[in-house]
Amino acid sequence: MKITVVGTGYVGLVSGACLAEMGNDVLCLDLDPEKIRVLKEGGIPIHEPGLDQVVARNVAAGRLHFTTNVQEAVQFGTIQFIAVGTPPDEDGSADLQYVLSAARAIGRHMTDYKVVVDKSTVPVGTADKVKAAVQAELDARGEAIPYSVVSNPEFLKEGAAVDDFMRPDRIVVGAEDDQAIFLMKALYAPFQRNHEKLLIMDLRSAELTKYAANAMLATRISFMNELALLSESLGADIELVRQGIGSDPRIGYHFLYAGCGYGGSCFPKDVKALIKTGADAGHALRVLNAVEDANDAQKLVLVDKVVAHFGEDLSGKHFALWGLAFKPNTDDMREAPSRVIIAELFRRGATVTAYDPVAMDETRRIFGDEPRLRYAERPMQALDGADALLIVTEWKEFRSPDFGVIKAKLKSPVIFDGRNVFDPQLPREAGLTYLSIGRP
Ligand SMILES: NC(=O)c1ccc[n+]([C@@H]2O[C@H](COP(=O)([O-])OP(=O)(O)OC[C@H]3O[C@@H](n4cnc5c(N)ncnc54)[C@H](O)[C@@H]3O)[C@@H](O)[C@H]2O)c1
C-alpha cells in the first residue's frame, strides 16, 4: 500500500518505518526541515532502540522516504496517517491545531480517495472535526472527492516502540465505513498473523480508549506512590506490598512501581485532557484529579528527602544526579521529573552535575547555558565533588555500581534513590546512607 505519515516524531517515524518493514511504500512528512534533513542524510533525530536499523533497511530498499513537501505527501498515500503532536492547551485540553492543520492540508491537495487516519491522541469528537476540516477545503475547491476518516490510536511505548509496533497487544480501529475498515484490516494483517488483534469500533469509543488506557496506567502509578509514602510512615516496605498485590491476577505486576513520579509526553497531558473532557461534559473525574495532584507532589518527594537530610537551605551543596530522561531507553525529557527536581535544587541554592546515557543533549537544549548544571561523561564522574547522589531514572547501567567508590567520592555518603534501583542492604553494607521510596 502507499502510505503517507504526517508528522515524523516518535510515533510517526516508528509507524512509518514499521509499515515500510512490512513491504508498504511510505512517505513521511514533517514541517521541521531539520528533522527531514537529518533523516535524508541517514541519521535518526530521536533515540529509540532498534529504530535506526529499521529505517536504514527500508530506506535502502526504497520503501521509506522523507519530505517537507506537503502537496507531494498528500498526493502520495491512499492512507494518510496523522501523527502530529497534541500538546496541552492552556486549559489542559489537547491542542488540536496541528491535527486540524494536517487535515486541512489533506483536503487542500487530495486528488483521489483517501483514508485519513488519526494516530495522534485526540479527544472524543476530533474525527468529526477532521472530517469537517477536509470537507471545508474540498468545498472551497468545488471538489467532491471521496474520503474516510478513521481513528487508530497508537499504544507504543517510547523505549520499546519498534517492538510494540511490530507486535502490538491490540490494534484499535474506529471507523464507520466498509471501505476504510477493509483497508485498515489489510494494512494491519501482517502485524497479527498469530491471532486477531484488530478491535473495530465506532470513532468515539476508539478515541476514548486511548485516554482511558493512559489514565488507568497513570492511576496505578499514583496509587502506588501514595501507598509508598504511607508505607514510609507506617514502617512497611512498598516493594513487598507490590509483590503481595501484583501476584493477584486481577491486579497484575505491571505499572505498580513506586518512584518519583510519572512524566513523558503522554501520561501528564492525557490525564489533563481527559479531566478537561470530563469537565466539559459535566462529569468531574475525581479519581483523575487526584492522580494528577499526587503525581505533581511526587515529583518533589526526592527533594523533600534531601531537605530532611541537609536542611531547607542547600546553598553551597552540590549534587550528582543519575538519569534525566523521563524513563530509561529514551531521550525524551518532556515532563520529566528530573526537570522539576533540578529546578527545585537550584531554587534552594544547590548545583548539580548530571549524567544520562542519551538525554544530555536534550537537557542542554532545555536548560541552555545554565551555569549551575554541569554534565558528566560517565556516572561515577558525576560524583566528583558532590555531597550526595540522586537517582532519577532507572537506566540499567546504574543497577550494579561499586558502592565502595560511591562512598569514597561523596562528601556526605548518601544516596537518594527515586526509583528503588538497589537492594537497600548493598549500599548500607558499604557504609552509605540509602534513602529510597516507600521502603524502611
Ligand atoms: N510519544 C509517544 O510515546 C506516544 C505514544 C502514543 C501516542 N502518542 C501520541 O502521538 C502523537 C504524536 O506524538 P509524538 O511523541 O510522536 O510527537 P512529536 O512531537 O515527537 O512529533 C510530532 C511531529 O509532527 C510534526 N508536525 C506538526 N505539525 C505538522 C504538520 N501539519 N505537518 C507535518 N508535520 C507536522 C512536528 O514537527 C513533529 O516532528 C501525540 O498525539 C501523542 O500523544 C505518542
Side-chain angles (χ1 to χ4, degrees), residues 82-118:
I82 299 181
V84 300
T86 45
D89 220 334
E90 275 160 24
D91 61 1
S93 63
D95 181 352
L96 290 180
Q97 62 166 310
Y98 306 104
V99 170
L100 296 179
S101 149
R104 282 193 298 274
I106 294 170
R108 200 173 308 132
H109 297 294
M110 64 191 271
T111 49
D112 54 4
Y113 174 71
K114 302 287 178 198
V115 187
V116 182
V117 185
D118 226 326

mmCIF file of all heavy atoms in Angstrom, residues 82-118:
data_model
loop_
_atom_site.group_PDB
_atom_site.id
_atom_site.type_symbol
_atom_site.label_atom_id
_atom_site.label_comp_id
_atom_site.label_asym_id
_atom_site.label_seq_id
_atom_site.Cartn_x
_atom_site.Cartn_y
_atom_site.Cartn_z
ATOM 1 N N ILE A 82 -2.238 10.734 10.386
ATOM 2 C CA ILE A 82 -1.903 11.994 11.068
ATOM 3 C C ILE A 82 -1.263 11.610 12.399
ATOM 4 O O ILE A 82 -1.911 10.998 13.250
ATOM 5 C CB ILE A 82 -3.149 12.872 11.295
ATOM 6 C CG1 ILE A 82 -3.784 13.251 9.940
ATOM 7 C CG2 ILE A 82 -2.788 14.120 12.095
ATOM 8 C CD1 ILE A 82 -5.012 14.148 10.055
ATOM 9 N N ALA A 83 0.022 11.935 12.539
ATOM 10 C CA ALA A 83 0.762 11.561 13.756
ATOM 11 C C ALA A 83 1.501 12.778 14.310
ATOM 12 O O ALA A 83 2.654 12.704 14.723
ATOM 13 C CB ALA A 83 1.739 10.421 13.452
ATOM 14 N N VAL A 84 0.827 13.900 14.288
ATOM 15 C CA VAL A 84 1.431 15.152 14.788
ATOM 16 C C VAL A 84 1.175 15.285 16.289
ATOM 17 O O VAL A 84 0.373 14.549 16.860
ATOM 18 C CB VAL A 84 0.872 16.374 14.030
ATOM 19 C CG1 VAL A 84 1.161 16.267 12.539
ATOM 20 C CG2 VAL A 84 -0.633 16.507 14.260
ATOM 21 N N GLY A 85 1.838 16.251 16.901
ATOM 22 C CA GLY A 85 1.702 16.426 18.345
ATOM 23 C C GLY A 85 0.332 16.985 18.730
ATOM 24 O O GLY A 85 -0.317 17.685 17.946
ATOM 25 N N THR A 86 -0.093 16.632 19.958
ATOM 26 C CA THR A 86 -1.329 17.214 20.522
ATOM 27 C C THR A 86 -1.016 17.699 21.936
ATOM 28 O O THR A 86 -1.472 17.121 22.915
ATOM 29 C CB THR A 86 -2.471 16.164 20.556
ATOM 30 O OG1 THR A 86 -1.950 14.927 21.074
ATOM 31 C CG2 THR A 86 -3.043 15.924 19.198
ATOM 32 N N PRO A 87 -0.191 18.745 22.030
ATOM 33 C CA PRO A 87 0.246 19.208 23.352
ATOM 34 C C PRO A 87 -0.904 19.818 24.145
ATOM 35 O O PRO A 87 -1.932 20.169 23.563
ATOM 36 C CB PRO A 87 1.290 20.279 23.014
ATOM 37 C CG PRO A 87 0.901 20.777 21.662
ATOM 38 C CD PRO A 87 0.302 19.607 20.948
ATOM 39 N N PRO A 88 -0.747 19.945 25.466
ATOM 40 C CA PRO A 88 -1.834 20.542 26.233
ATOM 41 C C PRO A 88 -1.977 22.031 25.939
ATOM 42 O O PRO A 88 -0.988 22.745 25.838
ATOM 43 C CB PRO A 88 -1.423 20.327 27.688
ATOM 44 C CG PRO A 88 0.000 19.933 27.671
ATOM 45 C CD PRO A 88 0.389 19.533 26.289
ATOM 46 N N ASP A 89 -3.210 22.452 25.795
ATOM 47 C CA ASP A 89 -3.512 23.876 25.652
ATOM 48 C C ASP A 89 -3.477 24.486 27.052
ATOM 49 O O ASP A 89 -3.338 23.768 28.040
ATOM 50 C CB ASP A 89 -4.904 24.025 25.031
ATOM 51 C CG ASP A 89 -4.923 25.158 24.020
ATOM 52 O OD1 ASP A 89 -4.093 26.065 24.180
ATOM 53 O OD2 ASP A 89 -5.754 25.135 23.102
ATOM 54 N N GLU A 90 -3.670 25.793 27.147
ATOM 55 C CA GLU A 90 -3.572 26.437 28.470
ATOM 56 C C GLU A 90 -4.562 25.876 29.487
ATOM 57 O O GLU A 90 -4.279 25.792 30.672
ATOM 58 C CB GLU A 90 -3.780 27.939 28.329
ATOM 59 C CG GLU A 90 -2.489 28.651 27.965
ATOM 60 C CD GLU A 90 -2.726 30.018 27.367
ATOM 61 O OE1 GLU A 90 -3.787 30.601 27.640
ATOM 62 O OE2 GLU A 90 -1.845 30.485 26.635
ATOM 63 N N ASP A 91 -5.745 25.465 29.012
ATOM 64 C CA ASP A 91 -6.755 24.949 29.940
ATOM 65 C C ASP A 91 -6.642 23.439 30.148
ATOM 66 O O ASP A 91 -7.524 22.835 30.756
ATOM 67 C CB ASP A 91 -8.159 25.311 29.440
ATOM 68 C CG ASP A 91 -8.452 24.696 28.076
ATOM 69 O OD1 ASP A 91 -7.583 23.978 27.543
ATOM 70 O OD2 ASP A 91 -9.556 24.919 27.545
ATOM 71 N N GLY A 92 -5.582 22.815 29.638
ATOM 72 C CA GLY A 92 -5.390 21.380 29.836
ATOM 73 C C GLY A 92 -5.942 20.536 28.704
ATOM 74 O O GLY A 92 -5.574 19.372 28.558
ATOM 75 N N SER A 93 -6.817 21.109 27.878
ATOM 76 C CA SER A 93 -7.374 20.321 26.762
ATOM 77 C C SER A 93 -6.275 20.082 25.727
ATOM 78 O O SER A 93 -5.267 20.790 25.695
ATOM 79 C CB SER A 93 -8.536 21.082 26.127
ATOM 80 O OG SER A 93 -8.059 22.300 25.588
ATOM 81 N N ALA A 94 -6.490 19.083 24.858
ATOM 82 C CA ALA A 94 -5.491 18.806 23.824
ATOM 83 C C ALA A 94 -5.578 19.903 22.760
ATOM 84 O O ALA A 94 -6.661 20.215 22.268
ATOM 85 C CB ALA A 94 -5.766 17.441 23.212
ATOM 86 N N ASP A 95 -4.429 20.451 22.414
ATOM 87 C CA ASP A 95 -4.373 21.483 21.383
ATOM 88 C C ASP A 95 -4.418 20.784 20.020
ATOM 89 O O ASP A 95 -3.483 20.062 19.652
ATOM 90 C CB ASP A 95 -3.067 22.274 21.563
ATOM 91 C CG ASP A 95 -2.924 23.389 20.542
ATOM 92 O OD1 ASP A 95 -3.748 23.450 19.603
ATOM 93 O OD2 ASP A 95 -1.984 24.188 20.675
ATOM 94 N N LEU A 96 -5.489 21.025 19.283
ATOM 95 C CA LEU A 96 -5.702 20.303 18.019
ATOM 96 C C LEU A 96 -5.195 21.064 16.797
ATOM 97 O O LEU A 96 -5.451 20.660 15.671
ATOM 98 C CB LEU A 96 -7.194 20.000 17.856
ATOM 99 C CG LEU A 96 -7.738 18.945 18.821
ATOM 100 C CD1 LEU A 96 -9.222 18.733 18.577
ATOM 101 C CD2 LEU A 96 -6.985 17.637 18.654
ATOM 102 N N GLN A 97 -4.477 22.178 17.022
ATOM 103 C CA GLN A 97 -4.119 22.996 15.855
ATOM 104 C C GLN A 97 -3.286 22.225 14.830
ATOM 105 O O GLN A 97 -3.461 22.409 13.624
ATOM 106 C CB GLN A 97 -3.389 24.277 16.300
ATOM 107 C CG GLN A 97 -2.081 24.035 17.009
ATOM 108 C CD GLN A 97 -1.243 25.302 17.111
ATOM 109 O OE1 GLN A 97 -1.038 25.998 16.128
ATOM 110 N NE2 GLN A 97 -0.756 25.616 18.305
ATOM 111 N N TYR A 98 -2.385 21.325 15.305
ATOM 112 C CA TYR A 98 -1.525 20.610 14.333
ATOM 113 C C TYR A 98 -2.321 19.537 13.590
ATOM 114 O O TYR A 98 -2.141 19.326 12.394
ATOM 115 C CB TYR A 98 -0.316 20.008 15.045
ATOM 116 C CG TYR A 98 0.458 21.032 15.837
ATOM 117 C CD1 TYR A 98 0.367 21.101 17.225
ATOM 118 C CD2 TYR A 98 1.244 21.974 15.178
ATOM 119 C CE1 TYR A 98 1.048 22.072 17.945
ATOM 120 C CE2 TYR A 98 1.932 22.956 15.887
ATOM 121 C CZ TYR A 98 1.826 22.999 17.276
ATOM 122 O OH TYR A 98 2.491 23.971 17.977
ATOM 123 N N VAL A 99 -3.213 18.878 14.325
ATOM 124 C CA VAL A 99 -4.053 17.841 13.702
ATOM 125 C C VAL A 99 -4.947 18.468 12.636
ATOM 126 O O VAL A 99 -5.043 17.968 11.505
ATOM 127 C CB VAL A 99 -4.926 17.149 14.780
ATOM 128 C CG1 VAL A 99 -5.976 16.255 14.135
ATOM 129 C CG2 VAL A 99 -4.053 16.342 15.739
ATOM 130 N N LEU A 100 -5.573 19.584 12.979
ATOM 131 C CA LEU A 100 -6.521 20.182 12.036
ATOM 132 C C LEU A 100 -5.805 20.835 10.866
ATOM 133 O O LEU A 100 -6.312 20.836 9.735
ATOM 134 C CB LEU A 100 -7.431 21.179 12.775
ATOM 135 C CG LEU A 100 -8.330 20.502 13.834
ATOM 136 C CD1 LEU A 100 -9.189 21.529 14.549
ATOM 137 C CD2 LEU A 100 -9.207 19.416 13.203
ATOM 138 N N SER A 101 -4.602 21.340 11.128
ATOM 139 C CA SER A 101 -3.833 21.906 10.025
ATOM 140 C C SER A 101 -3.430 20.782 9.052
ATOM 141 O O SER A 101 -3.485 20.952 7.822
ATOM 142 C CB SER A 101 -2.624 22.642 10.612
ATOM 143 O OG SER A 101 -1.555 22.607 9.749
ATOM 144 N N ALA A 102 -3.085 19.614 9.599
ATOM 145 C CA ALA A 102 -2.759 18.465 8.736
ATOM 146 C C ALA A 102 -4.004 18.049 7.944
ATOM 147 O O ALA A 102 -3.918 17.761 6.739
ATOM 148 C CB ALA A 102 -2.243 17.305 9.585
ATOM 149 N N ALA A 103 -5.165 18.048 8.604
ATOM 150 C CA ALA A 103 -6.406 17.648 7.917
ATOM 151 C C ALA A 103 -6.736 18.622 6.789
ATOM 152 O O ALA A 103 -7.124 18.214 5.687
ATOM 153 C CB ALA A 103 -7.550 17.589 8.933
ATOM 154 N N ARG A 104 -6.557 19.911 7.063
ATOM 155 C CA ARG A 104 -6.842 20.915 6.022
ATOM 156 C C ARG A 104 -5.907 20.723 4.822
ATOM 157 O O ARG A 104 -6.327 20.829 3.673
ATOM 158 C CB ARG A 104 -6.686 22.335 6.589
ATOM 159 C CG ARG A 104 -7.884 22.779 7.431
ATOM 160 C CD ARG A 104 -7.852 24.280 7.698
ATOM 161 N NE ARG A 104 -6.680 24.671 8.461
ATOM 162 C CZ ARG A 104 -6.607 24.650 9.795
ATOM 163 N NH1 ARG A 104 -7.656 24.274 10.517
ATOM 164 N NH2 ARG A 104 -5.511 25.013 10.415
ATOM 165 N N ALA A 105 -4.644 20.424 5.120
ATOM 166 C CA ALA A 105 -3.677 20.234 4.022
ATOM 167 C C ALA A 105 -4.097 19.047 3.153
ATOM 168 O O ALA A 105 -3.969 19.088 1.921
ATOM 169 C CB ALA A 105 -2.275 20.017 4.599
ATOM 170 N N ILE A 106 -4.613 17.999 3.797
ATOM 171 C CA ILE A 106 -5.072 16.831 3.025
ATOM 172 C C ILE A 106 -6.233 17.246 2.121
ATOM 173 O O ILE A 106 -6.252 16.955 0.922
ATOM 174 C CB ILE A 106 -5.465 15.674 3.980
ATOM 175 C CG1 ILE A 106 -4.218 15.162 4.717
ATOM 176 C CG2 ILE A 106 -6.140 14.533 3.203
ATOM 177 C CD1 ILE A 106 -4.496 14.192 5.863
ATOM 178 N N GLY A 107 -7.200 17.968 2.702
ATOM 179 C CA GLY A 107 -8.347 18.422 1.905
ATOM 180 C C GLY A 107 -7.935 19.341 0.761
ATOM 181 O O GLY A 107 -8.524 19.312 -0.330
ATOM 182 N N ARG A 108 -6.894 20.117 1.008
ATOM 183 C CA ARG A 108 -6.458 21.108 0.006
ATOM 184 C C ARG A 108 -5.787 20.448 -1.190
ATOM 185 O O ARG A 108 -5.909 20.899 -2.316
ATOM 186 C CB ARG A 108 -5.474 22.079 0.686
ATOM 187 C CG ARG A 108 -5.295 23.415 -0.037
ATOM 188 C CD ARG A 108 -4.443 24.351 0.813
ATOM 189 N NE ARG A 108 -4.957 24.457 2.169
ATOM 190 C CZ ARG A 108 -4.217 24.344 3.282
ATOM 191 N NH1 ARG A 108 -2.921 24.125 3.214
ATOM 192 N NH2 ARG A 108 -4.783 24.453 4.464
ATOM 193 N N HIS A 109 -5.048 19.345 -0.934
ATOM 194 C CA HIS A 109 -4.213 18.790 -2.009
ATOM 195 C C HIS A 109 -4.661 17.442 -2.545
ATOM 196 O O HIS A 109 -4.097 16.956 -3.528
ATOM 197 C CB HIS A 109 -2.763 18.658 -1.510
ATOM 198 C CG HIS A 109 -2.129 19.968 -1.168
ATOM 199 N ND1 HIS A 109 -1.853 20.928 -2.116
ATOM 200 C CD2 HIS A 109 -1.735 20.493 0.017
ATOM 201 C CE1 HIS A 109 -1.312 21.989 -1.527
ATOM 202 N NE2 HIS A 109 -1.231 21.751 -0.230
ATOM 203 N N MET A 110 -5.666 16.787 -1.937
ATOM 204 C CA MET A 110 -6.020 15.430 -2.392
ATOM 205 C C MET A 110 -6.671 15.461 -3.768
ATOM 206 O O MET A 110 -7.424 16.390 -4.096
ATOM 207 C CB MET A 110 -6.927 14.736 -1.355
ATOM 208 C CG MET A 110 -8.267 15.396 -1.143
ATOM 209 S SD MET A 110 -9.117 14.719 0.309
ATOM 210 C CE MET A 110 -9.998 13.367 -0.459
ATOM 211 N N THR A 111 -6.343 14.433 -4.547
ATOM 212 C CA THR A 111 -6.932 14.364 -5.894
ATOM 213 C C THR A 111 -7.673 13.043 -6.100
ATOM 214 O O THR A 111 -8.287 12.831 -7.133
ATOM 215 C CB THR A 111 -5.834 14.501 -6.976
ATOM 216 O OG1 THR A 111 -4.780 13.595 -6.661
ATOM 217 C CG2 THR A 111 -5.285 15.913 -7.040
ATOM 218 N N ASP A 112 -7.555 12.126 -5.121
ATOM 219 C CA ASP A 112 -8.304 10.866 -5.227
ATOM 220 C C ASP A 112 -8.670 10.378 -3.817
ATOM 221 O O ASP A 112 -8.330 11.043 -2.833
ATOM 222 C CB ASP A 112 -7.488 9.799 -5.975
ATOM 223 C CG ASP A 112 -6.109 9.589 -5.374
ATOM 224 O OD1 ASP A 112 -5.815 10.215 -4.324
ATOM 225 O OD2 ASP A 112 -5.318 8.818 -5.927
ATOM 226 N N TYR A 113 -9.330 9.226 -3.746
ATOM 227 C CA TYR A 113 -9.829 8.708 -2.456
ATOM 228 C C TYR A 113 -8.710 8.598 -1.410
ATOM 229 O O TYR A 113 -7.634 8.086 -1.697
ATOM 230 C CB TYR A 113 -10.470 7.334 -2.675
ATOM 231 C CG TYR A 113 -10.891 6.656 -1.386
ATOM 232 C CD1 TYR A 113 -11.973 7.131 -0.647
ATOM 233 C CD2 TYR A 113 -10.191 5.547 -0.910
ATOM 234 C CE1 TYR A 113 -12.351 6.503 0.527
ATOM 235 C CE2 TYR A 113 -10.565 4.907 0.273
ATOM 236 C CZ TYR A 113 -11.649 5.400 0.992
ATOM 237 O OH TYR A 113 -12.014 4.798 2.162
ATOM 238 N N LYS A 114 -9.003 9.066 -0.202
ATOM 239 C CA LYS A 114 -8.033 8.970 0.899
ATOM 240 C C LYS A 114 -8.715 8.411 2.146
ATOM 241 O O LYS A 114 -9.888 8.726 2.400
ATOM 242 C CB LYS A 114 -7.489 10.365 1.289
ATOM 243 C CG LYS A 114 -6.809 11.132 0.173
ATOM 244 C CD LYS A 114 -5.460 10.553 -0.171
ATOM 245 C CE LYS A 114 -4.808 11.312 -1.322
ATOM 246 N NZ LYS A 114 -3.720 10.558 -1.963
ATOM 247 N N VAL A 115 -7.931 7.628 2.902
ATOM 248 C CA VAL A 115 -8.367 7.279 4.254
ATOM 249 C C VAL A 115 -7.515 8.126 5.199
ATOM 250 O O VAL A 115 -6.293 7.978 5.240
ATOM 251 C CB VAL A 115 -8.127 5.787 4.579
ATOM 252 C CG1 VAL A 115 -8.763 5.452 5.920
ATOM 253 C CG2 VAL A 115 -8.691 4.906 3.497
ATOM 254 N N VAL A 116 -8.160 9.033 5.897
ATOM 255 C CA VAL A 116 -7.442 9.919 6.822
ATOM 256 C C VAL A 116 -7.488 9.255 8.198
ATOM 257 O O VAL A 116 -8.559 9.103 8.777
ATOM 258 C CB VAL A 116 -8.096 11.312 6.858
ATOM 259 C CG1 VAL A 116 -7.310 12.235 7.787
ATOM 260 C CG2 VAL A 116 -8.189 11.893 5.449
ATOM 261 N N VAL A 117 -6.312 8.841 8.683
ATOM 262 C CA VAL A 117 -6.263 8.040 9.913
ATOM 263 C C VAL A 117 -5.643 8.861 11.036
ATOM 264 O O VAL A 117 -4.477 9.247 10.958
ATOM 265 C CB VAL A 117 -5.413 6.765 9.709
ATOM 266 C CG1 VAL A 117 -5.476 5.895 10.957
ATOM 267 C CG2 VAL A 117 -5.871 5.992 8.494
ATOM 268 N N ASP A 118 -6.414 9.096 12.068
ATOM 269 C CA ASP A 118 -5.896 9.831 13.210
ATOM 270 C C ASP A 118 -5.134 8.903 14.123
ATOM 271 O O ASP A 118 -5.720 8.043 14.762
ATOM 272 C CB ASP A 118 -7.092 10.424 13.972
ATOM 273 C CG ASP A 118 -6.802 11.847 14.293
ATOM 274 O OD1 ASP A 118 -5.625 12.131 14.536
ATOM 275 O OD2 ASP A 118 -7.742 12.653 14.279
#
